[in-house]
């Protein structure tokens, strides 16, 4: 690779050019060249012109192929407009060239690959993905970069470990103990553990794909297309969210294509039931997917004046589950183990204000009312506005963060400006609970549940909690009374009245 130890372009003495720092990182099974620089729309426009340039929401940077030709192309585009600092990739190139082929993640040939030579510096993985393949009862483990031999030795304690060269991943027999123990082990050695949702069994995935593809290949009748347009117009006028419009139109299209060529007015109630049973239930879609299909069909027939159509469709019985929460001691551990100013503020705001993840990343600087000590949440879920008090502790953290990062529009912004990503919030939360040593498999939303539960345990009336959370109905909020210890902490168990030797 061509070395750019010196800046390829010298600025005029009176100008200060933006420095573009190059670094190498492992992304989606291959090495890429990333770029760090102060937010600059003009530079962004030039960088995206490089062949194969992409933006990584995870790394918060633009990146290009790990190829000398791409760096040459970049240097030509930025000449006279920025200075390139390639010190990091020059050093990394020297280290990488020293490595044996067995140590390169895409060229591993045996279980013993990954062993590094004496006194050799290697950039090891900082993240590991763990998922479960149910149909073959295997744990899939994938390192984001080079791995250490001791990590593989640890995996071998739970059974035969198979390396899949093509996908650069490891498979071993699944047991809950193995899955939980390996997650704990990788977290203890400093890796960020990413728990991926278990993929669908291959037979079911294939069945769904083939069924959907066959149905969507059919043509709509003119009447059916008018029905879809009518539903879209209705939802737009109703100001439904973009996601609701997208889901409803997709479901109604699938339904009408199932009866291709047929006028929607001539589809019988029995045929509607058949669609639910033969497409949704037969392919084992979730209860929420079934509800979406029913809602889309019902909505269409209601707006054309057939209110009785589809009313007899049975909605799936929803499981009555209670939200999982953290204790106040666990919240303290999570916040205490986050030392990055921005990351700590993100977690503190979610917990101290009971925010949804989407609400957090949408907070603008103008939403902070310093004089009244309030945060204004605009158009939260259900398009409900609300105001939430911010504690003095959190205001202090906000001041520290603003002084350090100086965001321009949103309170929490990405490295190159603009709205922060929801995925990054999730990763910050997962890193926090791993560092805190908490074994609960919960998501970011558990902090919001914890906020509501702790407010109720502290004696706050459920009606005020409803307002703070932005719930339209008190029935939604009342679920927290079922998990709060306020009414049961002092209850006496009958076993206390029995003498047991």
């Amino acid at each position: 690779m061509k070395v750019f130890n010196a800046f390829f372009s010298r600025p005029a003495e009176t100008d200060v050019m933006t420095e573009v720092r190059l670094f190498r990182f492992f992304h989606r099974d291959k090495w890429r060249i990333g770029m760090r620089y102060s937010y600059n729309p003009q530079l962004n426009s030039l960088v995206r012109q490089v062949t194969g340039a992409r933006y990584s929401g995870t790394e918060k940077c633009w990146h290009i192929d790990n190829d000398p030709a791409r760096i040459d192309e970049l240097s030509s585009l930025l000449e006279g407009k920025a200075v390139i600092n390639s010190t990091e990739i020059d050093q990394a190139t020297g280290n990488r060239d020293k490595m044996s082929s067995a140590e390169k993640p895409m060229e591993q040939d045996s279980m013993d690959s990954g062993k590094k030579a004496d006194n050799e510096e290697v950039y090891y993985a900082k993240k590991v993905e763990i998922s479960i393949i149910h149909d073959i009862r295997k744990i899939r483990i994938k390192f984001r970069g080079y791995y250490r031999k001791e990590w593989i030795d640890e995996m071998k304690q739970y059974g035969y470990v198979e390396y899949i060269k093509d996908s650069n991943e490891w498979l071993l027999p699944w047991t809950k103990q193995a899955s939980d123990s390996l997650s704990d082990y990788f977290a203890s050695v400093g890796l960020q553990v990413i728990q991926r949702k278990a993929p669908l069994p291959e037979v079911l995935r294939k069945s769904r794909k083939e069924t959907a593809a066959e149905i969507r290949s059919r043509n709509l009748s003119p009447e059916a297309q008018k029905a879809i347009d009518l539903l879209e117009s209705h939802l737009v006028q109703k100001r439904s969210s973009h996601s609701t419009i997208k889901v409803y139109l997709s479901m109604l299209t699938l339904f009408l294509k199932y009866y291709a060529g047929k006028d929607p007015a001539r589809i019988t109630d029995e045929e509607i039931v058949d669609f639910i049973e033969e497409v949704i239930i037969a392919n084992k879609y979730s209860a929420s997917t079934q509800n979406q299909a029913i809602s889309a069909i019902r909505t269409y027939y209601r707006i054309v004046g057939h209110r009785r159509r589809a009313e007899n469709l049975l909605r799936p019985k929803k499981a009555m589950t209670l939200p999982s929460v953290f204790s106040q001691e666990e919240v303290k551990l999570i916040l205490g183990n986050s030392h990055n100013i921005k990351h700590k503020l993100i977690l503190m705001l979610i917990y101290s204000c009971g925010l949804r993840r989407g609400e957090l990343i949408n907070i603008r600087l103008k939403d902070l009312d310093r004089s009244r000590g309030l945060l204004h949440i605009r158009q939260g879920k259900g398009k409900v506005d609300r105001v939430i008090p911010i504690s003095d502790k959190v205001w202090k953290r906000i001041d520290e963060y603003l002084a350090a990062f100086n965001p321009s529009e949103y309170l929490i912004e990405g490295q190159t400006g603009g709205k922060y990503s929801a995925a990054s919030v999730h990763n910050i939360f997962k890193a926090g609970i791993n560092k805190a040593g908490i074994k609960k498999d919960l998501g970011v939303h558990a902090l919001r549940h914890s906020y509501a539960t702790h407010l109720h345990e502290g004696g706050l009336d459920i009606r005020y909690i409803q307002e703070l959370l932005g719930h339209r109905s008190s029935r939604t909020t009342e679920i927290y009374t079922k998990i709060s210890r306020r009414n049961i902490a002092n209850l006496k168990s009958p076993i206390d009245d029995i003498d047991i030797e």
Side-chain angles (χ1 to χ4, degrees), residues 2-30:
K2 185 177 179 180
V3 177
F4 292 88
N5 280 328
F7 295 146
F8 73 89
S9 172
R10 294 290 181 186
E13 292 184 3
T14 56
D15 297 332
V16 177
M17 288 194 184
T18 300
E19 180 185 77
V20 178
R21 179 171 62 83
L22 304 185
F23 67 99
R24 181 182 285 109
F25 70 105
F26 197 66
H27 182 66
R28 296 187 178 180
D29 297 334
K30 63 179 67 174

Side-chain angles (χ1 to χ4, degrees), residues 80 170 187 255 338 425 499:
W170 308 83
F255 167 65
S338 181
V425 175
D499 290 331

Side-chain angles (χ1 to χ4, degrees), residues 256-358:
L256 295 178
K257 282 193 171 185
Y258 188 69
Y259 294 107
K262 200 164 188 177
D263 184 336
R266 300 179 65 85
I267 298 176
T268 66
D269 287 356
E270 290 74 18
E271 287 174 321
I272 297 174
V273 172
D274 289 344
F275 166 76
I276 296 296
E277 291 181 348
E278 295 169 12
V279 177
I280 306 298
I281 295 176
N283 284 285
K284 298 183 180 179
Y285 283 101
S286 65
S288 61
T289 300
Q290 183 176 339
N291 269 320
Q292 289 169 343
I294 291 171
S295 296
I297 296 168
R298 280 185 177 178
T299 301
Y300 164 70
Y301 282 115
R302 283 172 181 167
I303 62 179
V304 295
H306 299 163
R307 296 191 61 85
R308 295 178 63 85
R309 298 295 308 277
E311 291 298 325
N312 61 345
L313 283 176
L314 295 176
R315 290 191 179 273
K317 188 174 182 180
K318 294 178 69 175
M320 181 56 186
T321 57
L322 295 176
S324 298
V325 299
F326 297 108
S327 68
Q328 288 184 302
E329 280 301 313
E330 287 173 325
V331 173
K332 181 179 178 181
L333 283 172
I334 294 170
L335 298 178
N337 279 279
S338 181
H339 303 296
N340 179 288
I341 294 175
K342 181 190 286 188
H343 296 176
K344 185 185 285 286
L345 177 61
I346 286 171
L347 298 177
M348 288 184 76
L349 280 169
I350 293 174
Y351 172 70
S352 67
C353 297
L355 302 181
R356 301 178 178 93
R357 186 165 42 165

Side-chain angles (χ1 to χ4, degrees), residues 108-344:
Q108 296 153 325
D109 295 320
S110 71
M111 290 295 181
D112 295 326
S113 58
K115 183 179 179 182
K116 74 182 182 70
D118 293 339
N119 302 319
E120 182 182 349
E121 184 180 5
V122 176
Y123 295 92
Y124 286 106
K126 295 182 180 179
K127 300 177 183 179
V128 59
E129 296 178 7
I130 300 179
S131 56
I132 302 168
I133 310 176
H134 285 295
D135 51 345
I136 60 173
R137 295 185 66 80
K138 295 281 188 180
I139 301 173
R140 174 193 284 137
I141 293 178
K142 188 179 186 72
F143 298 103
R144 297 275 191 89
Y146 306 135
Y147 58 84
R148 296 182 183 275
K149 185 177 182 298
E150 55 263 34
W151 300 346
I152 310 304
D153 291 339
E154 180 71 20
M155 290 157 52
K156 289 179 181 178
Q157 296 184 35
Y158 299 95
Y160 175 72
V161 179
E162 178 185 6
Y163 176 66
I164 309 300
K165 184 176 180 180
D166 291 343
S167 54
N168 189 35
E169 61 191 24
W170 308 83
L171 297 178
L172 64 152
W174 177 84
T175 65
K176 189 174 189 323
Q177 179 189 6
S179 179
D180 293 346
S181 298
L182 286 172
S183 295
D184 293 343
Y185 169 76
F186 290 133
S188 72
V189 296
L191 289 175
Q192 179 184 340
V193 179
I194 302 171
Q195 296 278 4
R196 296 295 185 196
K197 287 186 177 180
L200 290 170
E202 181 62 28
V203 173
L204 180 58
R205 188 160 59 87
K206 184 178 179 181
S207 171
R208 285 186 182 182
K209 184 177 180 180
E210 291 176 349
T211 301
E214 195 279 322
I215 294 174
R216 293 194 183 279
S217 67
R218 303 174 187 175
N219 294 322
L220 288 168
S221 68
E223 295 82 6
Q225 186 58 59
K226 288 179 182 178
I228 294 168
D229 294 341
L230 182 62
L231 177 62
E232 182 176 17
S233 176
H234 170 79
L235 295 173
V236 169
Q237 291 179 46
K238 190 181 175 184
R239 303 252 179 139
S240 297
S241 69
H242 173 74
S243 59
T244 297
I245 295 173
K246 182 179 178 181
V247 169
Y248 274 40
L249 293 181
S250 176
M251 286 298 180
L252 186 64
T253 300
L254 187 69
F255 167 65
L256 295 178
K257 282 193 171 185
Y258 188 69
Y259 294 107
K262 200 164 188 177
D263 184 336
R266 300 179 65 85
I267 298 176
T268 66
D269 287 356
E270 290 74 18
E271 287 174 321
I272 297 174
V273 172
D274 289 344
F275 166 76
I276 296 296
E277 291 181 348
E278 295 169 12
V279 177
I280 306 298
I281 295 176
N283 284 285
K284 298 183 180 179
Y285 283 101
S286 65
S288 61
T289 300
Q290 183 176 339
N291 269 320
Q292 289 169 343
I294 291 171
S295 296
I297 296 168
R298 280 185 177 178
T299 301
Y300 164 70
Y301 282 115
R302 283 172 181 167
I303 62 179
V304 295
H306 299 163
R307 296 191 61 85
R308 295 178 63 85
R309 298 295 308 277
E311 291 298 325
N312 61 345
L313 283 176
L314 295 176
R315 290 191 179 273
K317 188 174 182 180
K318 294 178 69 175
M320 181 56 186
T321 57
L322 295 176
S324 298
V325 299
F326 297 108
S327 68
Q328 288 184 302
E329 280 301 313
E330 287 173 325
V331 173
K332 181 179 178 181
L333 283 172
I334 294 170
L335 298 178
N337 279 279
S338 181
H339 303 296
N340 179 288
I341 294 175
K342 181 190 286 188
H343 296 176
K344 185 185 285 286

Side-chain angles (χ1 to χ4, degrees), residues 323 325 350-351 353-354 445-462 465-466 468-469 471 476-477 479-481 483-484 486:
V325 299
I350 293 174
Y351 172 70
C353 297
H445 209 70
L447 288 176
R448 174 175 157 90
H449 290 320
S450 303
Y451 164 79
T453 304
H454 297 162
L455 283 178
H456 187 263
E457 290 176 344
L460 188 63
D461 189 278
I462 198 70
I465 299 175
Q466 176 188 346
L468 291 171
L469 293 177
H471 288 161
T476 306
T477 318
I479 194 169
Y480 297 108
T481 65
I483 55 176
S484 169
R486 186 169 102 188

